[in-house]
Amino acid sequence: MNLSYSTNIVIFGGGIAGLWLLNRMQSEGYDSILFETKSLGGRQTLDSQGIIHGGLKYALRGSVGRDSKNIANMPNRWRQCLSGDGEIDLTDVSVLNENYYMWSDGGMKSRLKSYLGSKSLRGRIDIVEKEHYPIFFRESSVKGTLYKLPDFVINTVSLLNKLVSTTNDRLFSLTDCDYKFFSEDPSLKQKLQVSVKDKTVNIDADLFIFCAGEGNQELINKAGLSKIETQARPLHMVYLRKQNLPEIYVHCIGNDFNLNPSVTVTSHRAQNGDIIWYLGGDIAESGITKSKSEQIKATQELIRNTFPWLNLSDAQWESFYVNRAEANVHSSFRPDDAVVKEDKNILVAWPTKLTLVPSLADKVSEHAARARKGFLEKNIPTAELQTIFEKPSLARARWD
């Protein structure tokens, strides 16, 4: 059986970026649907630490360049959405912690990097007086300085659930489906053909948006987009759990000249109630060549040296590898903002970082607005599509 449908926008990728775009495109009057090949929020979304930040890591270099300026207003954009005054309504989304901190130990190099960062972020970073330290840092056995940043940590599971709830009737699974892109004329826009069960479904869209993280490479190949390149930035993440683990949210500035935080700690609650410390920063970037046992051993030593007053003898440690998908720009350098590439009626989009998702939506919105004069008013029958396609499942955090 052959079926044909038309819509304004088809989004591929059910992570935070794709779901945010679906919400944004619908609010701007575009008829839109989303396809996910695996599970909603899998891969990068739930592997994110959930930090909504304004560029602290860049400011540690001692200057606020283009990359810092692009990201500086992101916490405000997210807070507007959380309060119900932004482009996406996130009023039911929980925040794990309203404040993020930076911890500098007493070493000279650590103090120097913290000084450079604080100068670059003057007016947006405050030294915390010791009487106002969170309990964990009041118990410190080393002399250090604690800074409060204008950043916060969002509950990515809560965020995922919210974005899914507002678009649930427009989410469809491509699991166990064969799909391809085709064009009746190579100079014209592409269409989508999906083989599902005993049906062939053809979908004509004014605009296709690839926003599938690592999955963008497969989509690029299927659509034959030879001029658009993606890249993966590998990380080796570690998490640990133990009873009565304190909840902290902090960048730790190491006593060396590396310009990244030595370790970035966020705290998360597993479904069974355990507190999880999720560890990123330089330890994750430098650990990509290490085995799991080597990475855990290196991380244990780093945490002992950073927090020598904390007893982690009974902690359980795990590690995993993850690839952060990005656009390949400027000879494989890290992009400094969200990136959108265009080819005919296809946009390939990468937020680069969770915090930059609103910036990505702005760029996609600009592309859609330019093309909109050629769009016809459409209303794809989502109820009918739900009888054809399965609903994509929700992913779970690694520690669950």
Side-chain angles (χ1 to χ4, degrees):
M1 179 185 299
N2 290 324
L3 302 169
S4 296
Y5 302 97
S6 346
T7 187
N8 293 136
I9 293 173
V10 173
I11 298 168
F12 284 83
I16 295 303
L19 292 165
W20 189 292
L21 285 175
L22 181 59
N23 275 268
R24 178 84 175 258
M25 295 299 98
Q26 282 292 116
S27 71
E28 293 183 2
Y30 300 101
D31 188 51
S32 310
I33 59 173
L34 183 148
F35 284 113
E36 170 56 50
T37 59
K38 294 188 177 179
S39 56
L40 297 168
R43 298 179 180 177
Q44 284 185 237
T45 286
L46 294 185
D47 287 340
S48 163
Q49 290 186 279
I51 304 170
I52 308 302
H53 68 90
L56 178 276
K57 287 202 292 187
Y58 306 126
L60 288 177
R61 299 185 179 102
S63 62
V64 180
R66 178 185 170 193
D67 46 6
S68 291
K69 292 177 181 176
N70 284 337
I71 206 169
N73 193 44
M74 288 300 108
N76 288 335
R77 291 279 299 273
W78 281 83
R79 289 188 190 279
Q80 287 174 349
C81 293
L82 290 166
S83 67
D85 297 324
E87 65 256 37
I88 302 294
D89 182 6
L90 301 181
T91 49
D92 298 327
V93 175
S94 63
V95 172
L96 294 178
N97 208 60
E98 288 286 354
N99 296 311
Y100 210 84
Y101 295 94
M102 179 172 71
W103 172 250
S104 169
D105 67 21
M108 180 273 291
K109 296 172 186 175
S110 178
R111 294 200 310 271
L112 175 61
K113 287 194 290 184
S114 299
Y115 173 79
L116 293 173
S118 63
K119 286 293 183 183
S120 300
L121 288 171
R122 186 180 293 252
R124 296 192 288 130
I125 182 171
D126 299 310
I127 294 178
V128 182
E129 298 299 330
K130 289 187 178 180
E131 58 266 30
H132 299 305
Y133 275 17
I135 293 174
F136 176 73
F137 289 99
R138 288 183 212 165
E139 298 171 348
S140 169
S141 60
V142 299
K143 183 179 180 181
T145 304
L146 191 66
Y147 300 84
K148 186 166 72 172
L149 312 177
D151 307 340
F152 60 96
V153 184
I154 203 159
N155 183 327
T156 52
V157 175
S158 173
L159 174 61
L160 177 66
N161 288 335
K162 173 66 174 184
L163 293 176
V164 167
S165 71
T166 55
T167 55
N168 196 44
D169 63 330
R170 295 182 173 272
L171 307 177
F172 305 100
S173 175
L174 286 180
T175 303
D176 299 326
C177 299
D178 291 324
Y179 68 97
K180 67 178 182 179
F181 297 93
F182 70 97
S183 177
E184 286 140 2
D185 182 332
S187 65
L188 299 177
K189 66 182 185 179
Q190 298 210 47
K191 299 179 182 181
L192 174 68
Q193 184 176 89
V194 184
S195 298
V196 48
K197 300 174 184 175
D198 59 344
K199 301 179 179 65
T200 298
V201 180
N202 295 310
I203 298 179
D204 181 7
D206 295 309
L207 195 63
F208 290 100
I209 303 173
F210 298 168
C211 194
E214 273 195 279
N216 274 355
Q217 185 61 66
E218 180 179 345
L219 291 163
I220 287 169
N221 294 342
K222 282 181 175 288
L225 307 182
S226 58
K227 295 180 180 179
I228 298 179
E229 297 181 353
T230 184
Q231 66 186 24
R233 192 171 300 280
L235 301 170
H236 194 168
M237 305 295 289
V238 176
Y239 67 89
L240 66 102
R241 69 174 83 206
K242 75 178 295 288
Q243 289 213 341
N244 302 317
L245 193 63
E247 296 183 48
I248 65 171
Y249 305 85
V250 63
H251 297 295
C252 300
I253 309 304
N255 197 27
D256 55 31
F257 284 121
N258 190 312
L259 295 176
N260 285 333
S262 60
V263 63
T264 291
V265 185
T266 51
S267 302
H268 307 260
R269 190 172 295 275
Q271 286 186 345
N272 67 358
D274 287 352
I275 296 298
I276 306 295
W277 273 14
Y278 189 27
L279 310 176
D282 185 65
I283 190 66
E285 295 188 20
S286 63
I288 58 172
T289 60
K290 294 183 175 72
S291 67
K292 290 190 173 186
S293 60
E294 290 170 335
Q295 176 70 342
I296 288 173
K297 183 178 179 180
T299 307
Q300 288 172 331
E301 181 178 359
L302 174 61
I303 294 298
R304 279 196 301 269
N305 292 335
T306 305
F307 308 126
W309 64 93
L310 180 64
N311 181 4
L312 290 175
S313 59
D314 59 340
Q316 298 174 344
W317 301 74
E318 297 287 347
S319 81
F320 61 90
Y321 301 92
V322 61
N323 285 326
R324 179 188 297 159
E326 302 169 343
N328 190 343
V329 296
H330 305 308
S331 302
S332 300
F333 285 114
R334 186 196 306 266
D336 55 26
D337 196 2
V339 177
V340 177
K341 298 289 186 179
E342 184 174 17
D343 190 328
K344 299 186 179 70
N345 64 322
I346 296 176
L347 300 180
V348 187
W350 300 266
T352 305
K353 295 175 180 291
L354 174 66
T355 193
L356 286 166
V357 167
S359 178
L360 179 76
D362 291 343
K363 296 175 188 296
V364 169
S365 179
E366 290 170 6
H367 280 273
R370 287 196 295 270
R372 191 167 195 164
K373 61 183 179 181
F375 290 7
L376 297 176
E377 185 174 342
K378 295 174 182 176
N379 187 15
I380 197 166
T382 55
E384 188 173 326
L385 290 182
Q386 288 172 29
T387 67
I388 301 170
F389 294 99
E390 299 290 333
K391 186 68 62 180
S393 61
L394 282 169
R396 300 173 68 182
R398 299 269 184 170
W399 38 86
D400 291 327

